[in-house]
Amino acid sequence: MSNFLCRTLLQVRHLTTISPYPKLRCVQSLHFNYSTVASDSHSFTVSYLINSCSLSPESASSASKLVSFTSPEKPDLVISFFKNHGFSIANISFIIWKYPRILLSNPNGTLLPKLEFLYTRGASSSEVTKIISKAPKILMRSVDEHLVPAFDFLKGYLGSNERTIASIKRFPSIIADVHQKHLNGSVRMLLDAGVPEARVMFFLFYQPRMFTMTLDRFREILEDVKKMGFDPSKSSFVQAVFAIRAMSKSTWVRKLGIYKRWGLSEEQILAAFRSHPWCMTLSEEKIMLAMDFFVNKLGWETAAIVRSPLLLSFSLKKRTIPRASVLLFLFQKGLTKKKTMLVKPYMYTETQFLQKFVHPHLKEAPQLSKLYRENVDGGIINYEI
């Protein structure tokens, strides 16, 4: 009897050691299996995003928090869909990086209608590819509930499918993000400020991004532009609105500081801005390089530059440096006068410049044509003027 009791106690002790709570053991087992599956799914998703979508490991890891799958069937269909419609690997990678869940979409049921909508409005296959690649959010929008009303709303201002598609090509996000309240309000504020309707429509066509900001911000910018002395009847007024809208207040302050480094007063800078508002939309590097070239390489006074701020917008490599090289060569050879070294030659069209400063001197200096055509390095220009 004692032996039986001992054996029974040992069996009971063994059972309780294995699982004192059998149901809890099942839960623990299920939890373990779920964790393993989740881990495998995460690993597979990350691997797929890297190898099939060309995402970086960091981007893939981040995207995997928004989408997860354990087999390639669905995402392969989506990738094939994009490739078959002319999207490059770079296009696809950007789209998936922005909206990873698109990989689980139904290509024909969800994605194709968005492309077909743009086709039916007159966009070519290549144009649709570019529009979607720049603004993949379009793929997340309902055709009937958003894209059709948004397109028709823009068309109401622009007048035709062709002009509306052209505007969307310039800023594809407008079709995904346009708010009727913002657009109507912005147009009304410009008209009330005295901007001619034709000019408002011109900017909606060429700079649709400007009309996507909040009404409070738009109103604030309009007030700033008025205080700066812009005439609403001139195109520079709306250009100034766009220029200020394109940067944060801190960026505006930094760019003012860059111009001030060259000895310019804020009054001179604002005068240049009124003359050519795009001078404040240039990158900080571009401003520095252009000012350095005109001041340190050509020896110009800074005041002369800001009186013609359009000079700063020209390409140094393709326009300014080659023309300066020709002018300096002609001056050194006594073939032109010092006054021709100033602003006007840089404002000419290419044909005008060639006719005035290259073709007439090819007999005496046949190397001029080559000098002009080559993209001359700024370091070559070391002459004193």
Side-chain angles (χ1 to χ4, degrees), residues 199-358:
R199 189 151 287 136
V200 175
M201 294 304 105
F202 176 87
F203 270 87
L204 178 58
F205 180 68
Y206 283 103
Q207 303 289 355
R209 180 194 297 261
M210 184 173 73
F211 295 85
T212 60
M213 73 181 92
T214 65
L215 293 181
D216 286 343
R217 177 63 177 147
F218 197 82
R219 188 178 294 106
E220 180 185 3
I221 291 174
L222 282 182
E223 290 303 317
D224 288 343
V225 171
K226 289 176 186 176
K227 290 175 184 176
M228 291 177 186
F230 283 87
D231 182 350
S233 67
K234 295 184 178 179
S235 61
S236 58
F237 182 92
V238 187
Q239 289 172 1
V241 174
F242 179 82
I244 296 175
R245 178 251 178 266
M247 70 189 88
S248 65
K249 292 180 180 179
S250 60
T251 300
W252 172 271
V253 171
R254 279 203 315 273
K255 289 183 179 181
L256 284 177
I258 288 174
Y259 281 114
K260 287 178 180 179
R261 284 188 217 171
W262 295 94
L264 297 168
S265 67
E266 188 157 337
E267 184 179 342
Q268 287 176 307
I269 300 166
L270 290 179
F273 182 58
R274 283 191 291 271
S275 171
H276 181 62
W278 304 129
C279 71
M280 288 299 287
T281 65
L282 302 174
S283 70
E284 295 168 46
E285 180 184 21
K286 169 73 171 171
I287 295 170
M288 286 296 293
L289 289 173
M291 291 296 292
D292 178 67
F293 181 79
F294 283 110
V295 174
N296 294 329
K297 294 293 196 303
L298 297 185
W300 287 23
E301 295 290 331
T302 54
I305 301 168
V306 294
R307 280 197 296 270
S308 301
L310 178 60
L311 288 168
L312 300 172
S313 299
F314 295 145
S315 167
L316 280 172
K317 183 178 180 182
K318 295 180 180 179
R319 185 184 189 118
T320 306
I321 291 175
R323 293 190 184 193
S325 299
V326 168
L327 295 170
L328 286 165
F329 178 87
L330 292 175
F331 179 72
Q332 281 225 320
K333 298 295 182 182
L335 299 173
T336 191
K337 296 180 180 179
K338 188 172 183 178
K339 65 180 181 180
T340 63
M341 307 299 294
L342 299 178
V343 173
K344 203 169 183 180
Y346 299 95
M347 301 296 185
Y348 289 140
T349 65
E350 182 175 13
T351 299
Q352 289 173 328
F353 185 83
L354 289 171
Q355 288 174 346
K356 290 179 179 291
F357 296 102
V358 177

Side-chain angles (χ1 to χ4, degrees), residues 355-373:
Q355 288 174 346
K356 290 179 179 291
F357 296 102
V358 177
H359 295 160
H361 303 290
L362 288 178
K363 193 177 232 184
E364 306 101 312
Q367 66 269 49
L368 264 183
S369 183
K370 182 180 179 182
L371 181 63
Y372 179 68
R373 291 296 174 193

